[in-house]
Amino acid sequence: MSLPETFLWGGATAANQCEGAYQADGRGLANVDVIPTGEDRMQVMLGRMKMLEPDATHFYPAMNGIGMYENYREDIALFAEMGFKCYRLSIAWTRIFPNGDEQEPNEAGLRFYENLFEECHKHGIEPIVTITHFDCPIHLIQTYGGWKNPKMVEFYKNLVTVLFTRFKGLVKYWITFNEINMILHLPFMGAGLVFEEGENELQIKYMAAHHELLASAWATKIAHEIDPENKVGCMLAAGMVYPYTCNPKDVWKGMTQDRENYMFIDVQARGYYPSYAKKMFEREGIELHLTPEEEQILQENTVDFISISYYSSRCTSADPDMQTMAGNAFDTVKNPYLDTSEWGWLIDPLGLRITLNSLYDRYQKPIFIVENGLGAVDVPDENGYVEDDYRISYLRDHLAAMKDAVELDGVELLGYTMWGPIDLISASTGEIKKRYGFIYVDQDDDGSGSRKRYKKKSFEWYKKVIASNGEDLT
Ligand code: BGP
């Protein structure tokens, strides 16, 4: 038996990609609500096109999600039917603090999550809660500039204090920021950053990242103080960068790109900025103005576990003429040994084992795979049934590689939550056509459809995987 009996099998979603009901029960507006579909999407996500309120000419898919705000009981019951031991979800900050800077929380928002967590426990499902999955209240962006501003740390402390206090006993596993390194790649989506003409983007991104790292350390401290049972994790959009050849220049470039991502986890897991980052800041003229108090907070409040999303490895070359393609927000050179998904993401199961080993070697802390999956076009038959053998095959190969990492390499792994167990809105494209789920949702990219849920072939397959604790992957 390769996986421990306590292994947490489940699935992962994010509030803005499935809840919808963006104005219900006093919820405020967030950056994620005003990211449209279509050709402006990328410029908005990059923070280069300012969109701080919806307009009539765009479609905003997060506003309605897949209607999970109303349907969560039925959806959780389906997760339970698959045997989920845990369910990773995120809190919409604007349900708790509609503007972000209030003193008193919105009771209706708290009650919604309380009911949801209780529903999970009713089914023996452990909630794994991401505090911030890309969302930031619009009011905080308009008034303070989002994470550019150190005041954000105080607002975040207020938020987490309310969450840890209210949900004590209901939630034990917390993740501070989803894919914290995404701030470098999609800064408006990741942290509500909008750039003005002539601003130094790099300085702003690292300053904002520093504020998030401080907020994360504070959250860890407060979580442990409120309940010593709490386990707090960081979260990395992971995937090793391979050198395209053994030319040392390619190898060096791969190492440099890996460090760009590792830097965040180095701070959260070791408690200080690594020397290569400090040197890079000096070279680039980046000033973080780190105070001794800040250094201490980072040092004394490292995370309990490291969580990751893994969709693929990446590949790089020092040759400037080498063509790159888009992966999960990270450009990569096409790896000739790997296939790609319908959205052009590389598929590399062994890369998961390589990535897990590299992270475990580096940090020696338990790891949690909190996202992994395949976005694909599904074509249901007249009964709504999808034979998604391609999805089963992707997941099977990745789970086999994951088991090797545990069984053959000794990586300490807490669990695996497959991304998007129910079809939801894609973060990168805003489509629902890019489906990940074990459960099909009858909805189109323009939001139309009955929203009825149907079990796909992979539903029964995953149920069997969980029941056998990963022994039966056939
Ligand atoms: C990660 C995000 C998720 C999720 C996933 C799949 O970057 O944390 O929110 O969406 O990627 O990406 P996409 O939805 O773009 O296919």
Side-chain angles (χ1 to χ4, degrees):
M1 174 91 35
S2 67
L3 298 173
E5 281 305 322
T6 51
F7 194 77
L8 289 165
W9 291 98
T13 64
N16 74 87
Q17 291 171 263
C18 54
E19 279 181 8
Y22 82 108
Q23 287 176 310
D25 301 326
R27 183 185 180 283
L29 196 68
N31 59 337
V32 283
D33 302 326
V34 290
I35 301 180
T37 49
E39 57 184 26
D40 291 334
R41 186 174 181 84
M42 190 42 93
Q43 288 308 305
V44 173
M45 291 199 293
L46 286 168
R48 304 220 168 111
M49 177 176 172
K50 197 171 189 167
M51 184 160 300
L52 298 186
E53 55 187 342
D55 64 32
T57 61
H58 290 90
F59 176 64
Y60 303 93
M63 289 182 172
N64 300 308
I66 54 158
M68 216 187 200
Y69 189 74
E70 295 85 16
N71 215 63
Y72 72 90
R73 286 200 163 83
E74 291 79 359
D75 293 337
I76 290 172
L78 286 168
F79 299 159
E81 200 183 319
M82 277 185 276
F84 277 27
K85 311 269 186 238
C86 72
Y87 168 37
R88 173 181 176 235
L89 68 140
S90 79
I91 299 267
W93 189 338
T94 50
R95 288 202 194 284
I96 312 299
F97 289 100
N99 284 330
D101 59 358
E102 300 93 334
Q103 282 308 308
E104 292 306 314
N106 172 29
E107 175 57 28
L110 286 170
R111 206 167 327 112
F112 168 70
Y113 290 109
E114 192 167 59
N115 291 340
L116 195 154
F117 299 146
E118 279 168 359
E119 195 66 22
C120 287
H121 285 294
K122 236 196 261 171
H123 293 285
I125 294 176
E126 182 76 44
I128 315 284
V129 177
T130 315
I131 298 163
T132 305
H133 194 122
F134 296 151
D135 60 330
C136 180
I138 283 285
H139 173 77
L140 295 185
I141 301 172
Q142 254 158 354
T143 315
Y144 306 94
W147 284 98
K148 284 179 195 176
N149 194 318
K151 287 205 174 95
M152 290 293 286
V153 180
E154 293 307 313
F155 303 139
Y156 192 85
K157 279 163 73 176
N158 202 19
L159 169 71
V160 299
T161 305
V162 165
L163 298 179
F164 299 149
T165 309
R166 177 67 173 251
F167 302 132
K168 186 173 174 176
L170 279 175
V171 179
K172 193 165 86 180
Y173 291 94
W174 300 92
I175 295 169
T176 51
F177 289 90
N178 180 65
E179 294 188 335
I180 191 162
N181 48 330
M182 199 55 86
I183 195 171
L184 300 179
H185 304 274
L186 298 173
F188 181 71
M189 185 171 85
L193 301 182
V194 186
F195 302 103
E196 307 296 341
E197 219 20 62
E199 271 187 333
N200 179 346
E201 285 196 17
L202 212 55
Q203 163 70 29
I204 291 176
K205 284 181 194 172
Y206 278 105
M207 196 69 232
H210 178 57
H211 296 144
E212 289 194 347
L213 290 168
L214 284 173
S216 176
W218 274 108
T220 310
K221 179 177 166 60
I222 298 167
H224 290 154
E225 280 167 2
I226 292 181
D227 187 352
E229 288 289 298
N230 275 328
K231 301 269 177 248
V232 184
C234 54
M235 202 292 205
L236 175 74
M240 274 283 284
V241 182
Y242 301 158
Y244 186 70
T245 71
C246 52
N247 180 337
K249 289 183 178 160
D250 285 356
V251 178
W252 176 246
K253 193 158 176 216
M255 186 175 188
T256 312
Q257 288 186 353
D258 267 337
R259 282 174 158 183
E260 206 177 274
N261 298 309
Y262 287 155
M263 186 208 80
F264 295 86
I265 310 306
D266 285 353
V267 176
Q268 289 172 296
R270 295 168 166 168
Y272 55 90
Y273 279 91
S275 38
Y276 66 83
K278 288 186 185 153
K279 287 288 178 193
M280 184 272 286
F281 294 153
E282 260 173 51
R283 264 195 315 277
E284 300 290 338
I286 294 168
E287 290 274 359
L288 296 187
H289 311 289
L290 210 70
T291 66
E293 196 220 356
E294 290 178 349
E295 278 180 5
Q296 195 183 348
I297 267 297
L298 294 176
Q299 183 74 62
E300 288 175 357
N301 299 285
T302 54
V303 289
D304 301 309
F305 66 94
I306 289 158
S307 75
I308 63 165
S309 63
Y310 175 86
Y311 293 90
S312 71
S313 56
R314 298 148 194 164
C315 186
T316 197
S317 161
D319 175 356
D321 296 329
M322 189 70 104
Q323 262 206 339
T324 58
M325 53 192 252
N328 181 16
F330 298 81
D331 282 349
T332 173
V333 165
K334 166 113 185 71
N335 183 332
Y337 300 98
L338 301 176
D339 288 334
T340 52
S341 77
E342 286 171 285
W343 270 264
W345 293 15
L346 295 166
I347 298 179
D348 181 12
L350 181 54
L352 175 58
R353 180 175 176 188
I354 296 169
T355 301
L356 287 171
N357 272 280
S358 131
L359 288 168
Y360 195 61
D361 283 353
R362 196 174 177 102
Y363 302 114
Q364 299 283 297
K365 293 211 183 210
I367 301 181
F368 203 146
I369 301 170
V370 294
E371 284 186 35
N372 171 242
L374 177 73
V377 174
D378 287 335
V379 183
D381 67 14
E382 64 282 7
N383 300 315
Y385 185 69
V386 179
E387 284 213 39
D388 53 345
D389 292 298
Y390 37 90
R391 182 168 293 108
I392 293 173
S393 138
Y394 175 100
L395 294 172
R396 176 188 294 130
D397 294 348
H398 283 77
L399 291 179
M402 172 189 92
K403 282 173 59 187
D404 286 346
V406 174
E407 190 176 8
L408 305 178
D409 312 326
V411 170
E412 191 184 346
L413 199 63
L414 296 173
Y416 173 92
T417 57
M418 176 270 204
W419 174 254
I422 181 164
D423 294 343
L424 38 66
I425 309 296
S426 155
S428 56
T429 69
E431 299 162 300
I432 190 169
K433 187 172 81 196
K434 189 179 186 190
R435 295 176 187 275
Y436 283 87
F438 300 121
I439 301 162
Y440 184 85
V441 178
D442 175 33
Q443 183 173 317
D444 294 324
D445 283 347
D446 61 6
S448 62
S450 70
R451 290 215 180 129
K452 265 190 77 170
R453 276 64 165 147
Y454 299 89
K455 297 173 198 169
K456 302 181 196 175
K457 184 174 180 182
S458 54
F459 186 100
E460 292 303 327
W461 175 80
Y462 196 49
K463 187 175 175 177
K464 197 176 57 177
V465 170
I466 298 178
S468 65
N469 200 25
E471 289 301 295
D472 186 358
L473 298 180
T474 55

